[in-house]
Amino acid sequence: MSTNWEYDCIVIGAGVQGSFTAYQLAEKKQKTLLLEQFILPHTRGSSHGQTRIIRKAYEQGFYTHMMEESYELWAQLEQEAGVKLYRQTGLLVMGPEDSQSYQLYKNNLQKNKVPMAILNRDTFSQHIPNVNLAVGDGAVVDITAGVLYADRALKTVQRQFEKLGGVIRDNEKVTDIKPGPVVTVSTSAGVYRAKSVVITAGPWANKLLAHTGLQLPLKVVKVNVYYWKEKVPGTYDVKQRFPCFLLTECEETKYHIYGLPSNEYPGLMKICYHIGGETDPDERDKQTDRSDIDILQRIIARCFPGLVPEPAVVESCMYTMTPDQHFVLDRHPSHSNIVFGAGFSGHGFKFGPIIGKLLCELILGEVPSYDLSPFRIRRFQDQTKSAL
Ligand SMILES: Cc1cc2nc3c(=O)[nH]c(=O)nc-3n(C[C@H](O)[C@H](O)[C@H](O)COP(=O)(O)OP(=O)(O)OC[C@H]3O[C@@H](n4cnc5c(N)ncnc54)[C@H](O)[C@@H]3O)c2cc1C
């Protein structure tokens, strides 16, 4: 049962972040093993489903900068694999005109010269039919935004990794990590040794990091993914170029609400609240909190008159939240050949190619392409537990 292999790097977790990291490592001629606990593809982590939003609209400029290159890398992968992964729809950002959040989105788009359109009350209904702009709300469109085909993207990057000679072993849960100059990784099926390890285990990050004596302030939440039926099929359809949207957080909503045009299920639009109930990732479906539904029904009845304000389909996904909702990209404080990417806080998919590039740079000891200070663990100070 036990097999011994030598690898330059073992990547633990074949979600979007681990798959892109493995791919980048293989591109750099590193002999790489990608380990996944479930049979691929699966629906039990954070990267499954047909669609994700890709956008440059962010409150923080550092994300907008990273997205510039991320778009290029997504396009490169599309070209290399001959597969379409992105569809441009634009992203409509709506929120109280005088709120800090709305102003940050708008100013950041302007400052970074992202192609955009500011809609006033008169032009709004011309461009965005069947949506009611709330009194006092502003509206701005990030024209570069769109939909990423998530499941297809994961399959594509994993296939490209294998084409480069990378090895994927799914249905192999990592049960132990022994740090050292050569790291020993034990799984349900064998033992592997590598010069370095990348941990990209999504909601299971802390369970894996526990083997290395480190715990991060991460909170795993189950998110209800709601699909809402169009009263007239086609009203909010991707083929009619209906945009993705984001309602910024405000006094009423506390967290943002986002939606995607109907696409994967004909006649159904995906609209969710950026929040969820805390859960253990191995017991996700025991979390049955649906307190998000009231707010969604209220907003949908008010802003989307063409939708039936009753969910037609409900699916599940998980977010791994950090206290400030920024990612964690860092090297282990005691073991320099262990690197991790975690806490993507429900907005990490669009960054997959960049996260892969950055984690690869960290593991190879190269200067990271971006300032990683917003993502380092030292920002948590008192909240990070290290047993070492
Ligand atoms: C409902 C929903 C909507 C979202 N919308 C967007 C969006 O519009 N735009 C956007 O950019 N982002 C979005 N996100 C966020 C994005 O999908 C996540 O940030 C991203 O998928 C996180 O990827 P990951 O690789 O870190 O985690 P995961 O996809 O969970 O991957 C981790 C992998 O590690 C494996 N693993 C864990 N433990 C072990 C072990 N012991 N041994 C082996 N393997 C292990 C897991 O099985 C899993 O496959 C959304 C997320 C959700 C849930």
Side-chain angles (χ1 to χ4, degrees):
M1 148 141 159
S2 125
T3 329
N4 274 302
W5 290 82
E6 287 299 340
Y7 286 97
D8 292 316
C9 189
I10 295 175
V11 179
I12 304 172
V16 66
Q17 315 303 8
S19 300
F20 269 104
T21 306
Y23 165 70
Q24 290 279 353
L25 285 162
E27 279 236 297
K28 296 223 166 170
K29 311 269 180 270
Q30 299 295 298
K31 197 176 171 201
T32 306
L33 170 66
L34 176 59
L35 290 169
E36 169 54 48
Q37 63 181 337
F38 301 127
I39 294 173
L40 291 168
H42 72 86
T43 57
R44 292 189 49 194
S46 301
S47 301
H48 60 280
Q50 305 283 326
T51 53
R52 293 289 187 278
I53 298 173
I54 179 168
R55 58 181 158 104
K56 290 184 187 162
Y58 258 94
E59 289 173 294
Q60 299 84 3
F62 59 82
Y63 284 126
T64 306
H65 291 307
M66 288 163 76
M67 280 312 299
E68 294 283 346
E69 189 182 351
S70 197
Y71 270 88
E72 286 169 22
L73 296 179
W74 278 110
Q76 220 169 290
L77 178 64
E78 277 186 317
Q79 213 171 13
E80 209 178 284
V83 176
K84 192 169 162 51
L85 302 175
Y86 158 71
R87 179 173 191 144
Q88 188 173 6
T89 63
L91 171 91
L92 167 68
V93 180
M94 296 180 285
E97 180 93 55
D98 55 2
S99 67
Q100 193 195 18
S101 180
Y102 176 77
Q103 286 299 324
L104 282 171
Y105 277 103
K106 190 172 115 182
N107 295 340
N108 197 29
L109 285 172
Q110 279 175 320
K111 202 170 123 198
N112 289 290
K113 301 194 169 40
V114 176
M116 63 180 287
I118 298 172
L119 302 177
N120 62 34
R121 202 149 282 283
D122 300 329
T123 53
F124 184 84
S125 50
Q126 243 173 285
H127 289 93
I128 319 277
N130 303 305
V131 178
N132 297 327
L133 185 65
V135 176
D137 272 13
V140 59
V141 178
D142 167 0
I143 291 167
T144 67
V147 174
L148 283 171
Y149 297 119
D151 282 344
R152 197 188 294 171
L154 225 61
K155 204 167 107 189
T156 301
V157 69
Q158 288 165 2
R159 202 172 47 213
Q160 293 306 108
F161 167 63
E162 287 182 314
K163 273 195 192 160
L164 291 167
V167 178
I168 302 179
R169 288 191 187 269
D170 62 355
N171 201 17
E172 273 203 51
K173 181 177 175 162
V174 171
T175 52
D176 194 24
I177 303 169
K178 281 206 170 45
V182 172
V183 189
T184 306
V185 175
S186 305
T187 72
S188 46
V191 179
Y192 307 94
R193 287 153 27 98
K195 284 190 272 182
S196 59
V197 162
V198 180
I199 301 175
T200 44
W204 290 266
N206 265 339
K207 295 196 185 208
L208 263 305
L209 285 167
H211 299 296
T212 71
L214 186 69
Q215 286 294 273
L216 301 173
L218 303 175
K219 185 169 125 184
V220 178
V221 299
K222 175 184 167 185
V223 179
N224 300 316
V225 183
Y226 295 111
Y227 288 86
W228 310 78
K229 194 171 177 237
E230 293 166 336
K231 290 176 184 164
V232 177
T235 309
Y236 302 106
D237 200 295
V238 74
K239 291 190 216 89
Q240 310 296 328
R241 299 196 61 123
F242 192 81
C244 299
F245 79 87
L246 189 150
L247 274 171
T248 65
E249 61 192 60
C250 63
E251 228 168 275
E252 182 187 8
T253 56
K254 297 280 185 288
Y255 303 92
H256 69 255
I257 288 170
Y258 59 91
L260 292 85
S262 51
N263 178 28
E264 55 264 46
Y265 304 132
L268 300 186
M269 191 177 174
K270 174 155 89 174
I271 302 183
C272 310
Y273 195 26
H274 189 69
I275 194 178
E278 195 161 1
T279 187
D280 177 319
D282 291 312
E283 305 202 328
R284 182 193 73 183
D285 295 331
K286 284 192 185 160
Q287 171 54 269
T288 55
D289 186 355
R290 289 268 175 101
S291 54
D292 50 355
I293 203 141
D294 287 350
I295 184 90
L296 283 169
Q297 285 183 310
R298 211 161 54 235
I299 297 286
I300 284 167
R302 190 197 306 157
C303 303
F304 294 86
L307 291 177
V308 179
E310 258 321 307
V313 171
V314 187
E315 295 177 344
S316 302
C317 194
M318 285 184 284
Y319 288 171
T320 309
M321 308 299 291
T322 60
D324 56 11
Q325 298 197 31
H326 299 318
F327 312 151
V328 184
L329 304 173
D330 215 336
R331 193 185 294 284
H332 195 289
S334 310
H335 309 291
S336 60
N337 57 349
I338 299 181
V339 156
F340 42 84
F344 292 97
S345 302
H347 63 112
F349 202 97
K350 64 183 86 58
F351 293 94
I354 283 290
I355 302 297
K357 181 175 174 182
L358 286 166
L359 292 177
C360 181
E361 287 169 346
L362 280 178
I363 213 79
L364 296 179
E366 296 173 359
V367 178
S369 301
Y370 296 87
D371 171 19
L372 292 188
S373 49
F375 310 122
R376 297 278 190 189
I377 59 171
R378 63 172 167 257
R379 75 189 195 270
F380 302 129
Q381 285 176 331
D382 307 338
Q383 298 150 287
T384 308
K385 290 191 200 111
S386 173
L388 301 166

